[in-house]
């Protein structure tokens, strides 16, 4: 785990949030997940080559705000093993159905989800990182 890679946030209005992050803050949309019903869906805004915001519509009954912190790792499996050696309970790493990333999650003592992200060459995030200019 080498750096904060992204922060996930839930917002009440995705269009308004994306307008703020792109037009006011000057960031660019890197990619978004497909939505089978055509509704706004999770969108990744790229801050710099290696840092993103994961912006998603807030689910019903969920307050807007932080959903998780994403940490970059060269190997999700190695990060899982390291955490287990330290006594943590963490699920096995798995491929993301949407992004091509390999992910593992752990929750800190205060309920904040931490997502460990490995970015294989075919992942959407790796492609965005490699295309950064």
């Amino acid at each position: 785990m080498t750096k904060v890679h992204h922060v996930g946030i839930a917002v009440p209005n995705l269009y308004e949030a994306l307008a703020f992050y792109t037009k006011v803050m000057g960031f660019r949309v890197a990619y978004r997940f497909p939505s089978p019903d055509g509704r706004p869906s999770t969108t990744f805004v790229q801050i710099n080559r290696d840092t993103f915001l994961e912006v998603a519509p807030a689910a019903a009954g969920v307050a807007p705000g932080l959903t998780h912190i994403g940490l970059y790792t060269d190997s999700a499996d190695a990060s899982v093993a390291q955490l287990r050696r330290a006594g943590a309970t963490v699920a096995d790493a798995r491929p993301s159905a949407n992004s091509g990333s390999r992910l593992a999650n752990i929750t800190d003592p205060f309920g904040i989800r931490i997502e460990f992200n490995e970015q294989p060459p075919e992942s959407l995030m790796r492609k965005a990182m490699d295309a950064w200019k």
Side-chain angles (χ1 to χ4, degrees), residues 11 13 26 35 47 66 70 80 89 95 101 104 120 132:
V11 297
N13 183 314
S35 174
I47 297 169
L66 177 74
V80 167
T89 301
S101 303
W132 180 263

Side-chain angles (χ1 to χ4, degrees), residues 5-18:
H5 187 253
H6 71 275
V7 174
I9 59 172
V11 297
N13 183 314
L14 186 63
Y15 297 116
E16 185 178 349
L18 293 177

Side-chain angles (χ1 to χ4, degrees), residues 71-97:
L71 300 180
Y72 180 85
T73 181
D74 290 328
S75 170
D77 293 328
S79 293
V80 167
Q82 175 187 349
L83 291 164
R84 287 179 178 161
R85 283 191 301 275
T89 301
V90 58
D92 290 338
R94 61 172 175 73
S96 166

Side-chain angles (χ1 to χ4, degrees), residues 69-126:
I69 299 167
L71 300 180
Y72 180 85
T73 181
D74 290 328
S75 170
D77 293 328
S79 293
V80 167
Q82 175 187 349
L83 291 164
R84 287 179 178 161
R85 283 191 301 275
T89 301
V90 58
D92 290 338
R94 61 172 175 73
S96 166
N98 292 318
S99 70
S101 303
R102 285 191 37 79
L103 310 172
N105 289 281
I106 190 170
T107 304
D108 82 0
F110 309 102
I112 298 172
R113 182 169 62 93
I114 301 168
E115 180 181 85
F116 302 98
N117 282 265
E118 176 185 339
Q119 299 302 322
E122 67 278 2
S123 72
L124 295 175
M125 202 168 274
R126 170 60 60 201

